Amino acid sequence: MNSPTITGNLRDLLAREIKAAELLRALIVVGPMVAAYFIARETALLNLGLVAVSLLIPALRLQLPPKVVAWHYLAILVTFAALFLAAPVKPLFVVLTALAGFLAVAGTRHGEHFRTLGNWVFIPAVYLACEVREGVSPSEALRHAGVIIASSPIALALVCAIQIYDQRRRGDAAVTSFGPPADEWLLPALATAMAVFAAAALVEILDLAQGQWVMWSAASVVVGDLTASTGKLKQRAIGAFVGVPLGFLAGMALPASRVGYAVAVLAATLTLISFSRYVLGFGLRCFFIALAASFAGGASGIAEERIVNVLIGGTFGLIAVAVTDIVWQRMVRKDRLSG
């Protein structure tokens, strides 16, 4: 096989696997956060990148106008603030996290694409509510949260600017449509709430480090019936088993570095939007998160911790899907018999 053919095949492969347009837009909204981190040496600005990409993903997929992006932004901030303030009261935090998981799916009652919007409220809110408190004093956590909230309008402005540019380039106005209402919305919403409740309770009872991975994984595998949810967990397990150890090994071979840490965090954030196949994106996300922890000098035990958290959370999700399905089928049979 000649060199041009190899080059062409590689180009086609990259074109299939990488969403170049979305990657470019994600760099535009997340890149400034990394630049600000280098200037201000403020770690909270790196976490702000998650808010930015969480706004961008539904905006691009659903072609949301700036007005809807702004409402999405407010939902993220309100949910994050509620979970952050509730965190010291563990039972309250568990209940509110489960409620957030329920609402993330319940919106599909009014349009099936509300699931995308709901997911990208739940994920950044839960992740940041846990992340900003990890290993710091309450006063430092409050300062960290304050920096994120005070700086967050920058993320909103960048995403809105991209949406306005794209609309003008296409020569049309975005028409917000969340699709037809989902016929079965209550069952997955209840399954998500149950899974997140169990995950959050375990995290709080055992005081698990990086517990957001457990809760995030619990919610993410509830994607339909048991077969679909099992497939999603398999993809996450493969990504974690491959990505985390490789990231850990790469980090061992490289010296601790603030530059490396920032680049790894940036790359991990970009994997949320840049890849066509979920298993590839999740595997690389695990790789870069493990690499970032290595650069920060905190990689001890991270491989086992991340893998276990993903599996525990996913297992809760599968159990919740199975339980709600069994209960629902029994209720249906009972109604038929009584009818």
Side-chain angles (χ1 to χ4, degrees):
M1 185 177 293
N2 56 38
S3 180
T5 303
I6 295 174
T7 303
N9 290 339
L10 180 60
R11 188 185 302 113
D12 291 341
L13 176 64
L14 293 176
R16 289 195 305 268
E17 298 294 343
I18 299 176
K19 301 176 181 178
E22 287 84 348
L23 175 59
L24 176 60
R25 284 158 176 75
L27 276 170
I28 292 172
V29 301
V30 180
M33 317 302 172
V34 177
Y37 163 74
F38 281 118
I39 295 171
R41 295 178 177 269
E42 175 56 66
T43 305
L45 295 174
L46 286 178
N47 287 330
L48 184 59
L50 179 59
V51 176
V53 81
S54 297
L55 291 173
L56 182 65
I57 290 172
L60 293 180
R61 291 179 182 173
L62 306 178
Q63 296 186 11
L64 302 179
K67 180 179 179 181
V68 179
V69 175
W71 281 110
H72 179 202
Y73 161 79
L74 288 176
I76 292 174
L77 289 194
V78 170
T79 308
F80 164 57
L83 295 179
F84 174 80
L85 294 174
V89 185
K90 293 186 177 184
L92 179 60
F93 176 79
V94 171
V95 171
L96 288 182
T97 305
L99 177 61
F102 177 85
L103 294 176
V105 182
T108 58
R109 180 183 184 183
H110 304 288
E112 58 186 12
H113 296 317
F114 269 108
R115 178 67 186 264
T116 300
L117 206 61
N119 283 346
W120 292 106
V121 171
F122 177 83
I123 290 170
V126 171
Y127 186 92
L128 293 177
C130 296
E131 180 73 14
V132 298
R133 288 185 174 274
E134 190 80 24
V136 299
S137 65
S139 60
E140 178 62 17
L142 184 61
R143 188 196 68 80
H144 195 143
V147 171
I148 292 174
I149 292 174
S151 305
S152 60
I154 299 172
L156 173 63
L158 289 169
V159 174
C160 286
I162 284 177
Q163 289 303 94
I164 292 170
Y165 169 78
D166 283 345
Q167 289 170 28
R168 289 180 177 176
R169 184 171 57 86
R170 291 193 304 264
D172 60 9
V175 178
T176 305
S177 174
F178 292 102
D183 294 330
E184 296 184 3
W185 63 272
L186 183 58
L187 209 61
L190 289 174
T192 303
M194 288 172 54
V196 172
F197 182 89
L202 183 71
V203 168
E204 296 300 327
I205 291 172
L206 300 182
D207 197 23
L208 294 179
Q210 301 296 321
Q212 62 269 25
W213 276 60
V214 183
M215 291 175 268
W216 183 345
S217 188
S220 71
V221 301
V222 183
V223 292
D225 58 20
L226 190 59
T227 300
S229 297
T230 302
K232 184 68 174 290
L233 178 56
K234 287 180 180 178
Q235 290 183 328
R236 291 179 66 85
I238 291 170
F241 272 111
V242 175
V244 172
L246 289 178
F248 176 65
L249 292 174
M252 289 178 61
L254 297 170
S257 165
R258 193 167 70 93
V259 174
Y261 173 76
V263 171
V265 171
L266 171 62
T269 304
L270 295 178
T271 62
L272 291 165
I273 191 174
S274 304
F275 294 93
S276 299
R277 288 194 293 173
Y278 180 84
V279 65
L280 179 60
F282 186 73
L284 286 171
R285 192 176 318 139
C286 292
F287 172 86
F288 286 119
I289 289 176
L291 183 60
S294 298
F295 281 133
S300 178
I302 187 167
E304 299 86 349
E305 185 179 277
R306 289 292 193 277
I307 293 170
V308 169
N309 285 357
V310 167
L311 294 178
I312 290 175
T315 301
F316 280 134
L318 289 184
I319 293 172
V321 170
V323 169
T324 52
D325 184 62
I326 291 171
V327 172
W328 180 259
Q329 293 299 331
R330 287 183 177 179
M331 291 176 62
V332 170
R333 285 197 298 268
K334 185 176 181 180
D335 288 342
R336 288 175 180 174
L337 292 173
S338 62

